[in-house]
Amino acid sequence: MSTVSTRSTGARTSDDRVRRTLDVTRSLLLKSGYKRTTMDEIARRADIGKGTIYLSWDTKDDLIRTLIIQEIVGVCQDISRIAVLRPAVARLSEFSRELFTLVFKYPLFRALYTYDKETLGRACDDPQLGFQCYRFTTFTPFHDYLRMLHESGMWDPSHSFALDALLSGFIKLHLHADIAGAKPDLAAHADSLAGLIRRSFEPADQVPAEELTDPARRTVEIFDGAAAKYRAKLIPQPLATSV
């Protein structure tokens, strides 16, 4: 006769409540915005008592912070995984191609980057997120990646402002075209961005592909480390008691 551990069942139930709460909150933020995303509405749509949600998050902003951190972790993990599979990503042009694509994969990360307060509210100014809008070069893992490129002779730090301006311009124009219903080609725009960065910022004598193994390894280390640090900021979410 088999038995099921009550503790395991409780853990699964708790995980399911956390998942539902986060999924509903993300959906509401993207569809209705920050102001209309209330704890009452989250609880109603997730079919969870509001008091149960408060067992894990003191405020709506804490809940939103969790979602944003999850997406930052996702971005860092994706970059790390891509660098393992494709060492050419150690080059700034190829890295920027992937980063541009990831901005449009993770909508809350994009909202943080574009300072979209209608979607994220006070989270746009949350110091715990360590993020400055439109300034990827000040985002710690990206800053560390650029420093690594500089040490490898593949980047000139004096170009930081120009790089941020180029990245933000491409992201804003693609986003506005999408909002206008123009159905912009993400891959084509990523290719254009990579080509422009290659011509503008990379040295004329590029590092040979066979010498990118070490920069790619260091890129993986940087973004794996960043993912771990952001993951450590996540508040434990028990949600073990139903209200």
Side-chain angles (χ1 to χ4, degrees):
M1 179 178 177
S2 63
T3 59
V4 177
S5 166
T6 303
R7 185 174 182 179
S8 297
T9 302
R12 285 196 298 271
T13 301
S14 174
D15 289 345
D16 181 61
R17 289 177 183 144
V18 168
R19 194 176 303 109
R20 292 206 314 272
T21 301
L22 293 171
D23 288 347
V24 164
T25 305
R26 178 183 288 105
S27 177
L28 283 170
L29 287 171
L30 295 174
K31 291 179 182 178
S32 305
Y34 177 83
K35 290 183 178 179
R36 293 185 179 180
T37 300
T38 65
M39 292 297 249
D40 285 322
E41 186 65 8
I42 293 168
R44 186 183 71 79
R45 295 201 182 200
D47 193 25
I48 296 170
K50 187 168 70 169
T52 302
I53 297 176
Y54 281 119
L55 291 174
S56 297
W57 297 282
D58 291 337
T59 67
K60 180 176 72 174
D61 292 324
D62 290 336
L63 178 48
I64 294 172
R65 182 188 304 117
T66 296
L67 286 167
I68 297 171
I69 289 175
Q70 286 183 341
E71 293 207 353
I72 293 175
V73 169
V75 169
C76 292
Q77 289 177 328
D78 282 358
I79 290 174
S80 175
R81 176 178 51 79
I82 293 168
V84 168
L85 297 174
R86 203 161 65 84
V89 166
R91 289 195 178 105
L92 181 60
S93 56
E94 294 302 310
F95 180 96
S96 299
R97 179 203 306 274
E98 300 299 338
L99 181 61
F100 177 79
T101 303
L102 290 173
V103 166
F104 291 94
K105 176 181 177 181
Y106 293 96
L108 298 183
F109 178 72
R110 181 174 68 247
L112 182 67
Y113 174 76
T114 58
Y115 200 70
D116 183 357
K117 297 199 82 168
E118 288 191 8
T119 298
L120 298 181
R122 287 186 290 267
C124 286
D125 300 304
D126 189 338
Q128 293 191 47
L129 297 175
F131 201 92
Q132 185 178 355
C133 68
Y134 296 117
R135 296 298 307 274
F136 273 129
T137 59
T138 65
F139 180 41
T140 298
F142 191 41
H143 176 79
D144 292 345
Y145 161 78
L146 290 176
R147 183 171 57 189
M148 180 273 294
L149 290 187
H150 175 57
E151 293 169 355
S152 303
M154 299 166 66
W155 167 248
D156 181 348
S158 68
H159 294 154
S160 293
F161 178 82
L163 177 59
D164 275 323
L166 187 57
L167 286 168
S168 65
F170 264 77
I171 289 168
K172 283 191 280 189
L173 284 175
H174 183 91
L175 181 59
H176 291 167
D178 189 41
I179 292 172
K183 297 183 179 178
D185 188 328
L186 183 64
H189 287 177
D191 287 343
S192 295
L193 173 64
L196 189 52
I197 286 179
R198 186 180 305 112
R199 294 188 296 273
S200 302
F201 302 121
E202 292 184 353
D205 297 325
Q206 286 206 338
V207 175
E210 60 271 18
E211 295 181 18
L212 290 174
T213 301
D214 185 61
R217 176 189 59 78
R218 293 174 68 186
T219 300
V220 171
E221 291 176 353
I222 288 167
F223 284 90
D224 275 349
K229 287 179 180 178
Y230 272 98
R231 199 180 295 112
K233 296 175 185 253
L234 292 171
I235 303 171
Q237 297 103 17
L239 284 182
T241 304
S242 178
V243 176

